[in-house]
Amino acid sequence: MTHPDDLVTVVIPAHDVADYLDDCLESVVAQTHEHLEVILVDDGSTDATGSLCDAWAAREPRIRVIHQENHGPGHARNVGIALATGTLVTFLDSDDWWDRTFVATLVRAIHDHPGAGTAMCSFERVPGSAYDAGATTTTVLTPQEAVSAFAGRHHSLYVIPCAKLFRREILSPDIFPVGIVAEDAYVTHRLLMAAPVVLVPEPLYLYRQRPNSIMSRPFTVAQQLDEIGGSEQQVRDFTQAGLLRAAGWSADQAFRKRARLIAALRSTGQAGTAEQYAALALQSRSTKGLPRRASFRALSALAGVSPRLAVATFSTFTSWAATQPRPVPGSRKRIALTFDDGPAAATPDLVRYLVKQSAGATFFLRGDRSESEPDTVRLLHGTAGMEIGTHSHTHPDLHRVDAGGIRDELRRSAAAIESITGTRPVLFRPPMGHRSRMIDAIAGELGHPVILWSVNSMDFKAPGAAAAQVLANAHDGDIVLLHDTSTATLATTTTIVPALHRRGFELVTVSALLGDLSPGRVYRGATTPRVRFRRWRHLQRLRVARRVSRPRR
């Protein structure tokens, strides 16, 4: 029974989402649970979002539109809660959408368990795959169990207010902080602590991964401080509730975020480093005694004595750890194909072939070539399953360029691509894979994760052997380097794609493979530790081959 008499309030903040709003609202009005009120908050949009909201309200009586100046999603959600008349409330981001059974399934789940305050489901990244919620059947979690999942490997699922249905009585009209980017981190854990949680493992929420969303914008000190504040709020709340293991986990996250902020401030020459060192020392002393991971317990103790040494130690470790493969929860066997140096003459045929084979890919484009081939860039941008990253503007060796020149290369390339597609590229691959701490820091300053590779096809040196090179060395979680400027790329791709499919691999974009990415961090792939030896052996073979091929003097 789906309880059709229960009125469900759907709160949708909307800001500059004219390209996505129709998909979102079509999924809402198509819900099998029809007793809905939709509060659509136009949060100071500067594009056609406001007029689209009004058009939808004119033809759908369940939609009510609120126009306001831009205050952020937290304020918009508070407005929706204050106006809600439903007994149940859910939140939907305006660039995402639902499976048509989303509301009915969660209404049934929460009614089947009268003591629950929240029902939640998994989500599916688009492009990408479904998140593994860690359960195969509907499960009831105590508040302590829900917090344990929040403070662990399933944090990404539990921290978001979306993909959840709440009883209205556990929501207050001012529950979300205003003017904060990472408002989820201040709120969702409190809702999970309020009453038992029903987990439905099916991915009924469709999460659009787009490069110009709030979480993909360039790094700012204010954003990082908001995230630190959220972790510190969790420490206080969990400690007060006696959930000390979760408090220790959040303390580890607060340390990690502040240490990264300090490293970013130092590398970019911004002010405020001394204040953050002092805050780190205070933070470390205030969380003394909480159960912590051994590494963070040691770093925190060190920070109480010498915060500078603690940050230096942390930076050294994370620089190494960031280059190591990492598993993504909820993933099947996947590989990311990437193509550098384009767009080129062969790129359109390559895209059409990949689409036909249901294969995703990421293209790292040069800015100057994008300006010369705008139609190809538009084709990539408009094709589902294709992802665009930047590969600098003119493809220089960034080791030979000063800091100002590096910034100029990245900014010009991003601007060239954005002028064609309307979307700023997020991923960055340095030319020839040449990187340094300065290059990484500047990429982070501009909002770019640094994407390298784990399997080099060597198609630029030996095109005829590239397919064999990939098939001999590619494993689950690898990022494969190819070049769409190579004359043999299409032939190589038509060989490796069906072969990898036969081996059970899903071919996805880099973002789908790696999940949430941090600006300035370096990524080489996403695999389990057992694959690392194979990868190390592959890299050693490449190094030997390079030495052998060098001419003797």
Side-chain angles (χ1 to χ4, degrees):
M1 184 175 179
T2 60
H3 304 275
D5 293 334
D6 284 327
L7 179 62
V8 175
T9 300
V10 183
V11 179
I12 307 176
H15 175 73
D16 287 354
V17 286
D19 292 340
Y20 312 107
L21 188 60
D22 284 344
D23 290 342
C24 173
L25 294 177
E26 283 169 3
S27 78
V28 174
V29 300
Q31 289 296 298
T32 57
H33 183 102
E34 298 180 350
H35 199 196
L36 306 174
E37 68 168 358
V38 182
I39 300 176
L40 185 55
V41 183
D42 170 28
D43 190 36
S45 297
T46 59
D47 63 358
T49 296
S51 58
L52 276 175
C53 292
D54 293 335
W56 269 95
R59 66 177 185 263
E60 174 51 70
R62 293 178 293 176
I63 296 178
R64 175 182 180 183
V65 177
I66 306 297
H67 296 283
Q68 64 178 34
E69 294 185 359
N70 180 238
H71 297 295
H75 183 275
R77 289 184 183 128
N78 288 341
V79 169
I81 293 169
L83 297 173
T85 61
T87 57
L88 301 167
V89 178
T90 186
F91 303 103
L92 173 61
D93 284 348
S94 49
D95 51 354
D96 299 336
W97 68 100
W98 287 334
D99 180 274
R100 63 193 301 270
T101 65
F102 171 87
V103 175
T105 301
L106 295 190
V107 167
R108 185 185 310 115
I110 207 165
H111 269 280
D112 288 347
H113 303 89
T118 303
M120 59 182 287
C121 66
S122 185
F123 61 79
E124 181 173 345
R125 298 182 180 93
V126 182
S129 59
Y131 185 98
D132 183 353
T136 56
T137 60
T138 297
T139 305
V140 181
L141 305 174
T142 66
Q144 293 79 10
E145 290 170 333
V147 167
S148 180
F150 175 97
R153 67 184 295 264
H154 292 297
H155 179 74
S156 297
L157 176 62
Y158 283 79
V159 72
I160 57 174
C162 299
K164 295 177 178 66
L165 181 70
F166 302 100
R167 294 193 188 275
R168 191 180 64 181
E169 56 262 31
I170 71 172
L171 298 169
S172 63
D174 59 351
I175 191 169
F176 288 97
V178 177
I180 288 178
V181 174
E183 75 282 351
D184 304 357
Y186 292 77
V187 175
T188 315
H189 66 283
R190 294 178 172 177
L191 299 175
L192 299 176
M193 293 164 65
V197 176
V198 185
L199 171 63
V200 177
E202 286 77 22
L204 305 177
Y205 189 97
L206 289 306
Y207 166 38
R208 189 191 305 270
Q209 299 201 91
R210 60 187 182 101
N212 54 342
S213 63
I214 286 178
M215 297 312 295
S216 300
R217 291 174 185 168
F219 165 89
T220 66
V221 173
Q223 174 185 332
Q224 192 74 350
L225 288 173
D226 285 348
E227 293 183 1
I228 294 167
S231 294
E232 292 180 334
Q233 182 64 57
Q234 293 164 25
V235 172
R236 291 190 291 270
D237 292 344
F238 291 150
T239 300
Q240 184 175 2
L243 302 171
L244 299 186
R245 192 203 67 81
W249 182 89
S250 294
D252 291 347
Q253 305 313 305
F255 183 100
R256 176 177 58 82
K257 292 169 184 177
R258 196 177 296 278
R260 284 184 178 168
L261 172 61
I262 292 170
L265 291 174
R266 291 187 59 190
S267 64
T268 56
Q270 298 183 61
T273 305
E275 292 85 347
Q276 292 306 316
Y277 276 127
L280 182 65
L282 179 61
Q283 171 186 307
S284 298
R285 289 191 290 269
S286 66
T287 56
K288 186 177 180 180
L290 290 176
R292 310 279 293 273
R293 285 178 57 186
S295 56
F296 281 103
R297 185 167 59 248
L299 286 168
S300 185
L302 180 59
V305 179
S306 175
R308 291 178 182 272
L309 182 56
V311 170
T313 303
F314 174 82
S315 298
T316 300
F317 173 76
T318 53
S319 295
W320 170 82
T323 65
Q324 303 305 302
R326 59 176 190 160
V328 176
S331 62
R332 51 179 284 193
K333 285 175 60 177
R334 297 182 300 173
I335 285 176
L337 299 182
T338 64
F339 298 88
D340 284 12
D341 296 351
T347 307
D349 289 338
L350 189 59
V351 170
R352 284 188 281 268
Y353 174 77
L354 291 168
V355 169
K356 186 177 179 180
Q357 296 295 317
S358 299
T362 301
F363 289 77
F364 290 95
L365 306 183
R366 287 174 49 164
D368 56 355
R369 289 181 174 169
S370 297
E371 291 172 339
S372 301
E373 300 287 344
D375 290 341
T376 302
V377 178
R378 293 189 191 98
L379 172 66
L380 283 167
H381 178 68
T383 302
M386 301 299 114
E387 179 176 49
I388 294 176
T390 175
H391 196 41
S392 79
H393 196 70
T394 62
H395 202 270
D397 181 350
L398 296 182
H399 283 164
R400 301 177 182 273
V401 181
D402 63 16
I406 295 170
R407 288 188 180 89
D408 184 63
E409 280 286 330
L410 271 62
R411 285 172 174 155
R412 289 176 64 196
S413 176
I417 295 170
E418 185 174 12
S419 69
I420 298 167
T421 66
T423 300
R424 177 184 171 276
V426 173
L427 306 182
F428 165 60
R429 174 172 285 166
M432 298 165 281
H434 290 181
R435 49 164 292 272
S436 64
R437 288 188 179 182
M438 181 177 71
I439 294 169
D440 298 346
I442 292 173
E445 171 192 334
L446 299 178
H448 298 298
V450 179
I451 309 299
L452 298 180
W453 57 85
S454 51
V455 174
N456 189 340
S457 70
M458 302 297 287
D459 58 349
F460 58 96
K461 284 191 175 181
Q469 177 79 357
V470 172
L471 295 176
N473 295 287
H475 296 90
D476 182 23
D478 273 321
I479 297 175
V480 177
L481 171 64
L482 296 150
H483 297 78
D484 48 334
T485 52
S486 170
T487 56
T489 297
L490 185 58
T492 299
T493 304
T494 57
T495 300
I496 65 176
V497 167
L500 292 173
H501 278 161
R502 285 193 298 271
R503 295 180 186 181
F505 288 105
E506 180 185 8
L507 302 180
V508 299
T509 63
V510 167
S511 293
L513 179 72
L514 298 178
D516 298 330
L517 302 175
S518 300
R521 291 195 66 180
V522 181
Y523 300 90
R524 298 178 187 270
T527 70
T528 55
R530 63 185 177 181
V531 176
R532 296 180 188 178
F533 174 73
R534 295 173 182 169
R535 174 169 300 153
W536 174 84
R537 184 175 60 186
H538 168 62
L539 295 174
Q540 297 309 307
R541 287 172 177 169
L542 289 179
R543 292 188 180 104
V544 170
R546 291 193 192 103
R547 293 192 192 102
V548 171
S549 64
R550 287 174 185 164
R552 295 184 179 179
R553 294 183 179 179

